[in-house]
Amino acid sequence: MQPAIRSQFGADVNSAITSGPDPAKPRKSPCASCPYRKNVPSGVWDGSEYQKLPGYDGEIHEQKTASIFMCHQQDGCVCSGWLGHRSEPGDMLAVRLGLMRGSLDLGCLDYTTNVPLFDSGAAAAEHGLADVQSPGRKAQAVISKIANRRGPEVL
């Protein structure tokens, strides 16, 4: 059995502020392994990745993180599931700060998707963590696909 995917950049993959001339944009749709997607099996990602998600819940003054949540595909896009799980992405402190710093594209404010997503980071984390110690067959298939694309160092 393969372990859940770990970030090749360590636990802080999503705490880095995007730097460079182009602000991060979302994908048109959340990626096939997005931790916010309801149809992604539990246990694909390392537990530390799921534990980040509830930090974006609540009103701005209740949010525990201001870090931009980047896509796990590590293609420079902001996580579309992260943006799309809220009816108003601008209600997240990280989005507002990212826009002010020029790290996020203005299109992030208007991002919507028809892909079924968990309503909160806590719900997504609860689902993802349920099988993190023993990912099922479907999760193993997703993990294998990601490992084949990225290489074994992410495991």
Side-chain angles (χ1 to χ4, degrees), residues 56-106:
Y56 298 102
D57 289 350
E59 300 296 321
I60 285 185
H61 68 278
E62 299 169 323
Q63 294 170 24
K64 294 176 177 53
T65 186
S67 300
I68 296 169
F69 199 76
M70 301 299 286
C71 180
H72 283 88
Q73 300 305 313
Q74 298 176 346
D75 59 1
C77 290
V78 65
C79 176
S80 297
W82 174 67
L83 289 174
H85 90 282
R86 308 259 318 214
S87 60
E88 296 291 333
D91 287 345
M92 288 188 286
L93 178 60
V95 170
R96 290 186 185 189
L97 291 174
L99 291 168
M100 288 174 29
R101 293 175 178 151
S103 301
L104 290 179
D105 184 83
L106 282 174

Side-chain angles (χ1 to χ4, degrees), residues 136-154:
R137 184 180 52 79
K138 289 181 180 178
Q140 288 294 319
V142 174
I143 292 167
S144 291
K145 184 177 178 181
I146 294 166
N148 287 338
R149 188 174 60 246
R150 287 196 196 169
E153 68 277 357
V154 298

